[in-house]
Amino acid sequence: MTKIIKMDLYRFFRSVSTWIILFADILLAFFSVMLVSANTSIQIYSNAAELLAAQINGGMLMILCAVSVIIFVSDKYRNGFIKNIANQLSRREMLVFSEIIAAFVACALHFFVYSFCTITAGAVFLGNTFSSFSFFAIMKLLLVQFVLHWGFCCLILLFYMLTNSTTFTMAAGFLIAFKILNIFYVPIKRFTQFNIEQFMLDSNIFQIGMYSAKPIYIRAIIVGLLFLLTEIILLCMVMRKKEIK
């Protein structure tokens, strides 16, 4: 198991796509903050946590994490690399756990780079209005959002395992990040008076912010952990029956 994880992490860090997407993290973080500073109709953020929460709520980090994970996993299955390993394992579920760990590392890497660059860009472009800095608020925000994004990456993994289609999985990830599921949430809430958004992964990513109340933070992290647990169980079930070519 440890060898499989090490092998996957080695491949992840040796992949050219990993570093290209990290470079995209830097460019997009600086570009988006620059646009915010140039648009006078947008309220200027007073501290790092406000700015970072708004940037993460936009869904761009979801896309970057999902693209990184799906490129890594699809390449692993497409080149036949996985077939020889799968036949030597007593339990195929071990392959799933190594991919979940890879998704964890990918999320952590993108979160660090994107957050650091967003805060740096804020200091550069927003100047004196950016003087207030709350380390605790940022860490609390990042912890909850990280769990939610890790759950989103595992959801993308599940889509790929079920469909074997990089195109479908990528499209599904993009549409979720672009809030396409709102077309279902709104009528459900309207006709049933049940706010399903409170219990969905994507909605919590879009809504959690610096000034969210403590119960909302607790609800968000519970939703993230429940999604993660469910996805891991489903991934193990799919991998057990999956035909690896």
Side-chain angles (χ1 to χ4, degrees), residues 182-195:
N182 282 350
I183 64 175
F184 302 106
Y185 299 155
V186 172
I188 290 173
K189 183 178 179 180
R190 180 179 178 183
F191 293 111
T192 67
Q193 304 302 314
F194 175 67
N195 189 3

Side-chain angles (χ1 to χ4, degrees), residues 80-148:
F81 169 82
I82 201 71
K83 185 175 181 179
N84 294 329
I85 298 177
N87 294 331
Q88 298 175 20
L89 296 175
S90 57
R91 297 183 65 86
R92 283 186 172 186
E93 291 87 341
M94 288 190 283
L95 293 172
V96 168
F97 285 109
S98 84
E99 288 160 4
I100 291 169
I101 294 298
F104 175 92
V105 172
C107 267
L109 191 60
H110 289 296
F111 254 76
F112 174 78
V113 172
Y114 191 82
S115 300
F116 177 80
C117 291
T118 296
I119 293 171
T120 303
V124 172
F125 292 112
L126 301 180
N128 293 333
T129 62
F130 203 69
S131 57
S132 176
F133 190 97
S134 173
F135 179 78
F136 175 74
I138 289 177
M139 292 309 298
K140 180 177 68 171
L141 173 73
L142 289 180
L143 175 62
V144 176
Q145 284 285 17
F146 175 79
V147 172
L148 293 168

Side-chain angles (χ1 to χ4, degrees), residues 1 188 233:
M1 179 65 180
I188 290 173
I233 292 171

Side-chain angles (χ1 to χ4, degrees), residues 17 21 62-72 156 170 174:
S17 63
I21 298 171
M62 289 174 70
I63 293 174
L64 293 167
C65 289
V67 169
S68 178
V69 169
I70 194 57
I71 289 177
F72 168 74
I156 293 299
M170 201 80 79
F174 274 54

